Amino acid sequence: MRTTSAARRRLLLVTHHYYPERGAPQRRWDALTPRLIDAGVDVSVLAPPPHYPAGRLFEDRAEYQPGRLSRGRHGERIVRTTFREHSSRLRSRSLDQAVVAWSSICLGLRIFRHPSLRPDVVVGTVPGIPSMFAAWVLARATRAKFVVEMRDAWPDLIEPAGLFRAGRTTKARVLGLARTFVHRAVSRLQARADSVVTTTETFAEVLQGRGVDDVAVVRNGTSYTPDAADLASSGLAVPTSPADPTGPAPDGGPHLLRDRPLRVAYAGTVGRAQDLGTVVRAAAEMRRRGRAVDVRIVGPGAEVESLQRLAAELGAPVTFGGPVPAEEVHALYRWADTVLVSLRDWQPLEWTVPSKLYEVMASGRLVTACVAGEAAEIVASTGAGTVVLPGDAAMLADVWSGWVRDGALPEVSPAAAAWVAANADDDELGRRYVQLVDHLMEPEQHAASAGHLAAAADGTGCPTCEIKAVPEPPERAAPSIGAVRPSGESVA
């Protein structure tokens, strides 16, 4: 067995998404990488050239050529793989992921079996699913520890997401068999991994219930820090001038709606899982009731065009825009009375927490949370906003109509931003990942505690590596809750 010292711990990340792309997976590792490096971990990355979400190469640069080794902005070693241009269709994107995974295996075997680069830990992060299979091959070939990082509740999302949907035709039967195979293969890799990393307590418990013993919880983080203008427009300081057309309402800040529509913002991925059709229908219902609302949806995704058609068909007061640069997110949130966080009514999504939720909570804005499960519990218990049952357009319209009728918004508790600072801080999350690497590199110190990561996930923690689960949010009532679905209730 190879010995290692803290100075030569080597981690190889196999991923389909990496900087300079933008998105939650990219942001996660852009935050973790410098903290791992600062702790003495040598980080290498196998990733395709930046081509998300358009499916085409951002720009033709030398360091993006397949097999080219370059240094990332944090000093990490990056090897770019081959990729396949793709459309927004599932089949096209899946083929791209398969091509990237195969290229990762070929390049990884050629480059990272060299003694000077051989990793101690290989991390395969999902999405996409093929990346975890490529990581498993490379971990076995290099005799490294294998870590599966599940950002979402795979393989459980395969069926509700309609992947490999079965039917009566021969093609449909083949797809049904493929779905079963992928489900079993992902579950088997999770069980055989040296450790599985999840981003939520709930999914960690689900995996532990299936016999996956080594589970660590490292949440997604956020770097969002409210500026002076954010604090002013949130009612915690002097409101902006009434002459400012994008500022809050006069004579009382954002808590009094005066002679203008309720402003609702959504910034993020516009896909099937976000169920923004419910939001469009709720906005149309508001107009039917004579309640003024202005909904702005900004971001990329496969559902943008269909939502635009739906809004036009229903006459909904909804406008759409492309991705908002990070520096403009503050302005969008200041414009909004409430910021949407939305997920579809699928049971596996009750085990996830959108990374966008932490950003909105940190901003101090009122959250309209169309979510269930752990995400709903966090919003309700910290007083971050109002929870509405996913998929219930009438309930969402009722909640918004009530605010317009009353001319007031619910107060946001300072506990919401405080919870994010305590539980989604990048420095703390980086420390947890370093502890995970240390734990994997020193198995003899943990031989008597095979379930120490499981203990960390349930809050008791491991006394040796100090890996601790993110604490549950405090039990307290939210100031305004439309409805909260119990986390264990089935949505099937």
Side-chain angles (χ1 to χ4, degrees):
M1 180 175 174
R2 272 196 336 269
T3 59
T4 185
S5 66
R8 67 177 294 272
R9 295 167 295 173
R10 300 193 190 102
L11 182 146
L12 173 60
L13 171 67
V14 182
T15 179
H16 194 79
H17 302 284
Y18 201 70
Y19 183 88
E21 293 177 346
R22 294 177 54 200
Q26 297 89 329
R27 192 240 163 243
R28 175 178 175 85
W29 276 96
D30 193 45
L32 287 174
T33 295
R35 289 161 175 84
L36 287 164
I37 292 174
D38 288 345
V41 179
D42 183 84
V43 178
S44 297
V45 181
L46 271 168
H51 66 294
Y52 171 86
R56 299 182 300 276
L57 187 65
F58 279 16
E59 55 182 319
D60 189 11
R61 300 174 60 174
E63 60 263 38
Y64 295 157
Q65 297 302 311
R68 181 63 61 89
L69 190 152
S70 63
R71 289 287 178 177
R73 64 176 184 162
H74 306 298
E76 71 274 27
R77 185 183 297 105
I78 302 177
V79 177
R80 296 293 183 176
T81 70
T82 301
F83 79 102
R84 176 186 182 275
E85 289 193 358
H86 64 80
S87 67
S88 61
R89 294 174 61 87
L90 174 62
R91 180 176 179 273
S92 181
R93 289 186 285 114
S94 298
L95 286 173
D96 173 48
Q97 292 179 3
V99 167
V100 170
W102 177 250
S103 180
S104 297
I105 292 173
C106 296
L107 290 170
L109 291 176
R110 190 175 77 196
I111 296 172
F112 292 101
R113 282 197 294 186
H114 191 279
S116 65
L117 295 177
R118 184 176 295 169
D120 298 299
V121 178
V122 177
V123 178
T125 183
V126 179
I129 291 178
S131 294
M132 66 185 295
F133 292 95
W136 174 77
V137 172
L138 294 175
R140 293 299 171 258
T142 58
R143 302 190 304 280
K145 299 294 184 179
F146 174 47
V147 176
V148 174
E149 182 178 84
M150 310 300 301
R151 294 193 60 260
D152 294 304
W154 300 102
D156 302 82
L157 278 170
I158 291 175
E159 183 171 354
L163 304 182
F164 313 114
R165 191 180 299 279
R168 294 186 178 183
T169 67
T170 300
K171 179 180 178 180
R173 292 192 188 99
V174 171
L175 290 176
L177 290 174
R179 181 182 67 188
T180 301
F181 170 78
V182 172
H183 193 289
R184 291 177 179 175
V186 171
S187 296
R188 182 167 296 183
L189 278 187
Q190 289 170 342
R192 292 185 175 183
D194 294 289
S195 185
V196 177
V197 176
T198 71
T199 59
T200 66
E201 300 283 357
T202 311
F203 192 46
E205 293 171 0
V206 170
L207 292 176
Q208 288 165 355
R210 295 173 180 172
V212 181
D213 295 326
D214 242 327
V215 183
V217 179
V218 182
R219 291 187 184 272
N220 288 313
T222 179
S223 59
Y224 191 101
T225 302
D227 56 26
D230 288 331
L231 295 174
S233 63
S234 66
L236 300 179
V238 179
T240 56
S241 167
D244 180 1
T246 64
D251 303 323
H255 302 296
L256 294 177
L257 303 175
R258 303 276 182 87
D259 302 321
R260 65 168 178 82
L262 174 71
R263 296 169 177 167
V264 181
Y266 174 86
T269 301
V270 184
R272 288 190 65 210
Q274 286 70 42
D275 190 30
L276 296 176
T278 295
V279 176
V280 172
R281 292 184 179 89
E285 176 63 16
M286 288 277 287
R287 169 167 285 181
R288 190 190 67 80
R289 298 180 185 182
R291 304 294 189 187
V293 64
D294 182 358
V295 179
R296 297 187 183 179
I297 296 176
V298 298
E303 295 294 301
V304 171
E305 291 184 2
S306 63
L307 289 172
Q308 289 174 328
R309 290 193 296 270
L310 179 64
E313 177 184 331
L314 299 178
V318 181
T319 57
F320 297 84
V324 176
E327 59 272 15
E328 295 182 16
V329 171
H330 286 261
L332 177 67
Y333 286 2
R334 286 196 298 271
W335 170 85
D337 296 307
T338 183
V339 181
L340 271 165
V341 177
S342 179
L343 288 176
R344 192 173 289 276
D345 191 14
W346 293 339
Q347 185 176 20
L349 292 181
E350 297 185 15
W351 310 334
T352 66
V353 177
S355 56
K356 183 64 64 175
L357 174 60
Y358 301 140
E359 178 179 287
V360 180
M361 290 172 64
S363 75
R365 310 310 294 180
L366 175 67
V367 181
T368 295
C370 302
V371 296
E374 184 168 338
E377 292 166 4
I378 290 173
V379 173
S381 63
T382 62
T386 296
V387 179
V388 177
L389 290 177
D392 196 330
M395 178 179 288
L396 182 57
D398 287 342
V399 169
W400 287 346
S401 294
W403 298 347
V404 174
R405 180 188 64 244
D406 298 339
L409 304 175
E411 293 282 350
V412 178
S413 171
W419 187 93
V420 173
N423 298 287
D425 174 72
D426 284 332
D427 289 336
E428 174 61 18
L429 300 178
R431 187 177 73 87
R432 294 178 189 274
Y433 232 101
V434 171
Q435 290 172 348
L436 172 63
V437 173
D438 289 343
H439 145 66
L440 292 171
M441 290 298 92
E442 301 172 357
E444 67 280 0
Q445 296 186 18
H446 301 269
S449 181
H452 67 285
L453 284 181
D458 67 18
T460 58
C462 170
T464 306
C465 69
E466 298 182 357
I467 295 180
K468 303 246 190 278
V470 178
E472 291 290 338
E475 293 294 333
R476 60 183 292 278
S480 174
I481 304 174
V484 179
R485 181 194 300 276
S487 61
E489 182 178 337
S490 172
V491 298

